Amino acid sequence: INKISLNICENLEEASEKVVQYFISVHKHSSNHFYIIPGGSTPVLFYKKLAHYVDDWRDTTFILSDERMVDENNKLSNSYHIKENLLKCIKDNELPNFLSFSNLINLDQKEITSSFINDELKKFGRPEIAVLGLGADGHTASLFPGNPDFLVDDDKSST
């Protein structure tokens, strides 16, 4: 059964706590530990709470819902935030697998599709949870509400 949940919270603390508690309940009772998690600086509290509350990371794999195509050591990189606020807070021998986009920075679209999406993601199948956004602006994967670029029809704009 697919479940979609939308929660509107008073603040980031409440939102992070709700998502972490939901994550924990699913993680404990599922054999599929493949998750899509949000990028950016807003989910940092969520990452820290995950690292603190979850004790068993065996067979767990994360991938970001979005990434900025910059070096993963750059503070603008979403991978950087995952590494600093989640992975560094977990014991080395218990680390989850993190599928980083960093090896894709210099590839063109065709190479990305064939090398990463078709090969790597097929190994993991369908994610158990996809957390697509945390934050006051409600944006998901860099799609910001009210952005007029969403209203442009590319086929008509070239006339």
Side-chain angles (χ1 to χ4, degrees), residues 1 9 12 15 34 39 46 55 61 76 84-85 95-96 107 109 113 115 119 123-125 130-131 134 142 157-158:
I1 296 175
C9 302
L12 186 58
F34 176 42
F46 166 70
D55 333 350
T61 300
L76 294 175
E84 291 296 311
N85 299 289
L95 285 175
L107 299 179
Q109 185 63 42
T113 302
S115 70
D119 297 336
K123 295 177 190 175
F124 299 102
V131 180
L134 284 173
S142 296
S157 64
S158 61

mmCIF file of all heavy atoms in Angstrom, residues 1 9 12 15 34 39 46 55 61 76 84-85 95-96 107 109 113 115 119 123-125 130-131 134 142 157-158:
data_model
loop_
_atom_site.group_PDB
_atom_site.id
_atom_site.type_symbol
_atom_site.label_atom_id
_atom_site.label_comp_id
_atom_site.label_asym_id
_atom_site.label_seq_id
_atom_site.Cartn_x
_atom_site.Cartn_y
_atom_site.Cartn_z
ATOM 1 N N ILE A 1 0.849 -1.175 0.000
ATOM 2 C CA ILE A 1 0.000 0.000 0.000
ATOM 3 C C ILE A 1 0.887 1.227 0.000
ATOM 4 O O ILE A 1 1.774 1.360 0.822
ATOM 5 C CB ILE A 1 -0.925 0.014 1.229
ATOM 6 C CG1 ILE A 1 -1.878 -1.163 1.177
ATOM 7 C CG2 ILE A 1 -1.660 1.316 1.334
ATOM 8 C CD1 ILE A 1 -2.742 -1.292 2.408
ATOM 9 N N CYS A 9 3.477 21.708 10.192
ATOM 10 C CA CYS A 9 3.899 21.869 11.578
ATOM 11 C C CYS A 9 4.146 23.332 11.895
ATOM 12 O O CYS A 9 4.332 24.151 10.999
ATOM 13 C CB CYS A 9 5.172 21.060 11.822
ATOM 14 S SG CYS A 9 4.947 19.304 11.468
ATOM 15 N N LEU A 12 10.277 24.044 12.608
ATOM 16 C CA LEU A 12 11.189 23.032 12.084
ATOM 17 C C LEU A 12 11.453 21.918 13.092
ATOM 18 O O LEU A 12 11.571 20.760 12.717
ATOM 19 C CB LEU A 12 12.500 23.683 11.642
ATOM 20 C CG LEU A 12 13.499 22.778 10.943
ATOM 21 C CD1 LEU A 12 12.889 22.145 9.702
ATOM 22 C CD2 LEU A 12 14.745 23.577 10.579
ATOM 23 N N ALA A 15 8.479 19.587 12.922
ATOM 24 C CA ALA A 15 8.491 18.860 11.647
ATOM 25 C C ALA A 15 9.567 17.778 11.652
ATOM 26 O O ALA A 15 9.312 16.634 11.262
ATOM 27 C CB ALA A 15 8.718 19.831 10.493
ATOM 28 N N PHE A 34 15.787 1.196 2.116
ATOM 29 C CA PHE A 34 16.237 2.127 1.083
ATOM 30 C C PHE A 34 15.352 3.360 1.172
ATOM 31 O O PHE A 34 14.125 3.270 1.076
ATOM 32 C CB PHE A 34 16.139 1.480 -0.294
ATOM 33 C CG PHE A 34 16.487 2.402 -1.432
ATOM 34 C CD1 PHE A 34 17.560 3.265 -1.361
ATOM 35 C CD2 PHE A 34 15.721 2.404 -2.590
ATOM 36 C CE1 PHE A 34 17.888 4.117 -2.414
ATOM 37 C CE2 PHE A 34 16.035 3.237 -3.651
ATOM 38 C CZ PHE A 34 17.115 4.089 -3.561
ATOM 39 N N GLY A 39 17.537 17.168 0.590
ATOM 40 C CA GLY A 39 18.807 17.873 0.673
ATOM 41 C C GLY A 39 18.604 19.275 1.201
ATOM 42 O O GLY A 39 17.493 19.686 1.513
ATOM 43 N N PHE A 46 16.799 17.272 11.156
ATOM 44 C CA PHE A 46 16.297 15.923 10.847
ATOM 45 C C PHE A 46 17.448 14.921 10.807
ATOM 46 O O PHE A 46 17.374 13.850 11.405
ATOM 47 C CB PHE A 46 15.536 15.968 9.516
ATOM 48 C CG PHE A 46 15.249 14.641 8.895
ATOM 49 C CD1 PHE A 46 14.323 13.777 9.457
ATOM 50 C CD2 PHE A 46 15.884 14.263 7.721
ATOM 51 C CE1 PHE A 46 14.037 12.546 8.863
ATOM 52 C CE2 PHE A 46 15.608 13.046 7.121
ATOM 53 C CZ PHE A 46 14.684 12.187 7.698
ATOM 54 N N ASP A 55 19.470 3.210 16.083
ATOM 55 C CA ASP A 55 20.653 2.460 16.512
ATOM 56 C C ASP A 55 21.095 1.416 15.483
ATOM 57 O O ASP A 55 22.210 0.942 15.565
ATOM 58 C CB ASP A 55 20.434 1.661 17.788
ATOM 59 C CG ASP A 55 19.402 2.175 18.719
ATOM 60 O OD1 ASP A 55 18.929 3.261 18.525
ATOM 61 O OD2 ASP A 55 19.085 1.458 19.665
ATOM 62 N N THR A 61 20.305 2.148 3.031
ATOM 63 C CA THR A 61 20.861 2.965 1.958
ATOM 64 C C THR A 61 20.042 4.239 1.817
ATOM 65 O O THR A 61 18.812 4.202 1.816
ATOM 66 C CB THR A 61 20.853 2.191 0.615
ATOM 67 O OG1 THR A 61 21.640 1.012 0.764
ATOM 68 C CG2 THR A 61 21.402 3.037 -0.518
ATOM 69 N N LEU A 76 27.744 24.179 0.008
ATOM 70 C CA LEU A 76 26.519 24.268 -0.778
ATOM 71 C C LEU A 76 26.013 22.889 -1.202
ATOM 72 O O LEU A 76 24.883 22.748 -1.649
ATOM 73 C CB LEU A 76 26.739 25.132 -2.020
ATOM 74 C CG LEU A 76 27.021 26.607 -1.760
ATOM 75 C CD1 LEU A 76 27.330 27.319 -3.071
ATOM 76 C CD2 LEU A 76 25.852 27.266 -1.045
ATOM 77 N N GLU A 84 28.217 15.666 7.245
ATOM 78 C CA GLU A 84 28.541 16.395 8.472
ATOM 79 C C GLU A 84 27.528 16.178 9.596
ATOM 80 O O GLU A 84 27.901 16.164 10.765
ATOM 81 C CB GLU A 84 28.644 17.897 8.190
ATOM 82 C CG GLU A 84 29.841 18.281 7.359
ATOM 83 C CD GLU A 84 31.160 17.996 8.063
ATOM 84 O OE1 GLU A 84 31.310 18.382 9.244
ATOM 85 O OE2 GLU A 84 32.040 17.380 7.426
ATOM 86 N N ASN A 85 26.262 16.030 9.258
ATOM 87 C CA ASN A 85 25.216 16.032 10.277
ATOM 88 C C ASN A 85 24.529 14.693 10.506
ATOM 89 O O ASN A 85 23.764 14.560 11.459
ATOM 90 C CB ASN A 85 24.175 17.088 9.923
ATOM 91 C CG ASN A 85 24.790 18.460 9.883
ATOM 92 O OD1 ASN A 85 25.141 19.014 10.913
ATOM 93 N ND2 ASN A 85 24.972 18.999 8.690
ATOM 94 N N LEU A 95 27.786 2.552 9.778
ATOM 95 C CA LEU A 95 27.343 3.546 8.803
ATOM 96 C C LEU A 95 26.384 2.967 7.759
ATOM 97 O O LEU A 95 26.611 1.879 7.228
ATOM 98 C CB LEU A 95 28.544 4.139 8.069
ATOM 99 C CG LEU A 95 29.381 5.132 8.847
ATOM 100 C CD1 LEU A 95 30.599 5.541 8.033
ATOM 101 C CD2 LEU A 95 28.560 6.354 9.222
ATOM 102 N N PRO A 96 25.334 3.722 7.448
ATOM 103 C CA PRO A 96 24.479 3.340 6.323
ATOM 104 C C PRO A 96 25.214 3.627 5.018
ATOM 105 O O PRO A 96 26.174 4.397 4.983
ATOM 106 C CB PRO A 96 23.258 4.248 6.482
ATOM 107 C CG PRO A 96 23.747 5.423 7.254
ATOM 108 C CD PRO A 96 24.870 4.938 8.118
ATOM 109 N N LEU A 107 29.742 14.335 -15.631
ATOM 110 C CA LEU A 107 29.125 13.512 -16.667
ATOM 111 C C LEU A 107 28.033 14.291 -17.396
ATOM 112 O O LEU A 107 27.404 15.175 -16.823
ATOM 113 C CB LEU A 107 28.508 12.254 -16.045
ATOM 114 C CG LEU A 107 29.448 11.301 -15.321
ATOM 115 C CD1 LEU A 107 28.651 10.131 -14.755
ATOM 116 C CD2 LEU A 107 30.554 10.797 -16.222
ATOM 117 N N GLN A 109 24.229 14.256 -19.442
ATOM 118 C CA GLN A 109 22.952 13.641 -19.091
ATOM 119 C C GLN A 109 22.867 12.184 -19.535
ATOM 120 O O GLN A 109 22.386 11.335 -18.794
ATOM 121 C CB GLN A 109 21.795 14.445 -19.699
ATOM 122 C CG GLN A 109 20.423 13.943 -19.288
ATOM 123 C CD GLN A 109 20.180 14.048 -17.792
ATOM 124 O OE1 GLN A 109 20.531 15.028 -17.184
ATOM 125 N NE2 GLN A 109 19.599 13.030 -17.201
ATOM 126 N N THR A 113 22.343 8.947 -16.938
ATOM 127 C CA THR A 113 21.235 8.007 -17.064
ATOM 128 C C THR A 113 21.730 6.578 -17.171
ATOM 129 O O THR A 113 21.260 5.698 -16.470
ATOM 130 C CB THR A 113 20.359 8.360 -18.281
ATOM 131 O OG1 THR A 113 19.893 9.693 -18.111
ATOM 132 C CG2 THR A 113 19.187 7.417 -18.397
ATOM 133 N N SER A 115 24.894 5.294 -16.522
ATOM 134 C CA SER A 115 25.823 4.797 -15.516
ATOM 135 C C SER A 115 25.227 4.715 -14.123
ATOM 136 O O SER A 115 25.541 3.828 -13.359
ATOM 137 C CB SER A 115 27.076 5.672 -15.467
ATOM 138 O OG SER A 115 26.762 6.930 -14.930
ATOM 139 N N ASP A 119 21.824 1.529 -13.555
ATOM 140 C CA ASP A 119 22.599 0.473 -12.914
ATOM 141 C C ASP A 119 22.449 0.464 -11.398
ATOM 142 O O ASP A 119 22.056 -0.534 -10.812
ATOM 143 C CB ASP A 119 24.083 0.601 -13.285
ATOM 144 C CG ASP A 119 24.322 0.426 -14.776
ATOM 145 O OD1 ASP A 119 23.491 -0.212 -15.442
ATOM 146 O OD2 ASP A 119 25.333 0.943 -15.265
ATOM 147 N N LYS A 123 19.511 -1.833 -8.246
ATOM 148 C CA LYS A 123 19.958 -2.734 -7.180
ATOM 149 C C LYS A 123 19.083 -2.607 -5.935
ATOM 150 O O LYS A 123 18.925 -3.554 -5.186
ATOM 151 C CB LYS A 123 21.409 -2.429 -6.790
ATOM 152 C CG LYS A 123 22.417 -2.692 -7.860
ATOM 153 C CD LYS A 123 23.787 -2.269 -7.367
ATOM 154 C CE LYS A 123 24.801 -2.288 -8.474
ATOM 155 N NZ LYS A 123 26.102 -1.767 -8.021
ATOM 156 N N PHE A 124 18.548 -1.430 -5.716
ATOM 157 C CA PHE A 124 17.841 -1.167 -4.471
ATOM 158 C C PHE A 124 16.333 -1.246 -4.601
ATOM 159 O O PHE A 124 15.626 -1.347 -3.609
ATOM 160 C CB PHE A 124 18.240 0.213 -3.920
ATOM 161 C CG PHE A 124 19.703 0.282 -3.630
ATOM 162 C CD1 PHE A 124 20.568 0.921 -4.496
ATOM 163 C CD2 PHE A 124 20.227 -0.329 -2.513
ATOM 164 C CE1 PHE A 124 21.915 0.968 -4.245
ATOM 165 C CE2 PHE A 124 21.576 -0.295 -2.251
ATOM 166 C CZ PHE A 124 22.421 0.352 -3.126
ATOM 167 N N GLY A 125 15.823 -1.179 -5.807
ATOM 168 C CA GLY A 125 14.384 -1.248 -5.994
ATOM 169 C C GLY A 125 13.680 0.012 -5.534
ATOM 170 O O GLY A 125 14.243 1.097 -5.518
ATOM 171 N N ALA A 130 10.192 8.207 0.931
ATOM 172 C CA ALA A 130 10.790 9.338 0.230
ATOM 173 C C ALA A 130 10.347 10.600 0.960
ATOM 174 O O ALA A 130 9.178 10.978 0.908
ATOM 175 C CB ALA A 130 10.350 9.383 -1.228
ATOM 176 N N VAL A 131 11.278 11.196 1.691
ATOM 177 C CA VAL A 131 11.005 12.460 2.371
ATOM 178 C C VAL A 131 11.441 13.539 1.396
ATOM 179 O O VAL A 131 12.614 13.690 1.113
ATOM 180 C CB VAL A 131 11.794 12.582 3.696
ATOM 181 C CG1 VAL A 131 11.493 13.912 4.377
ATOM 182 C CG2 VAL A 131 11.491 11.408 4.615
ATOM 183 N N LEU A 134 11.395 19.513 3.746
ATOM 184 C CA LEU A 134 11.230 19.979 5.125
ATOM 185 C C LEU A 134 11.550 21.461 5.093
ATOM 186 O O LEU A 134 12.602 21.852 4.613
ATOM 187 C CB LEU A 134 12.241 19.302 6.060
ATOM 188 C CG LEU A 134 11.999 17.868 6.463
ATOM 189 C CD1 LEU A 134 13.189 17.328 7.240
ATOM 190 C CD2 LEU A 134 10.747 17.766 7.311
ATOM 191 N N SER A 142 14.271 21.579 -4.970
ATOM 192 C CA SER A 142 14.533 22.895 -5.568
ATOM 193 C C SER A 142 13.384 23.425 -6.416
ATOM 194 O O SER A 142 13.569 24.302 -7.246
ATOM 195 C CB SER A 142 15.831 22.882 -6.379
ATOM 196 O OG SER A 142 16.922 22.630 -5.522
ATOM 197 N N SER A 157 6.855 28.936 -25.689
ATOM 198 C CA SER A 157 7.694 30.090 -25.399
ATOM 199 C C SER A 157 8.700 30.380 -26.496
ATOM 200 O O SER A 157 9.274 31.435 -26.555
ATOM 201 C CB SER A 157 8.417 29.893 -24.071
ATOM 202 O OG SER A 157 9.299 28.787 -24.150
ATOM 203 N N SER A 158 8.931 29.442 -27.403
ATOM 204 C CA SER A 158 9.890 29.656 -28.473
ATOM 205 C C SER A 158 9.289 30.337 -29.691
ATOM 206 O O SER A 158 9.974 30.581 -30.662
ATOM 207 C CB SER A 158 10.538 28.326 -28.877
ATOM 208 O OG SER A 158 9.541 27.441 -29.350
#
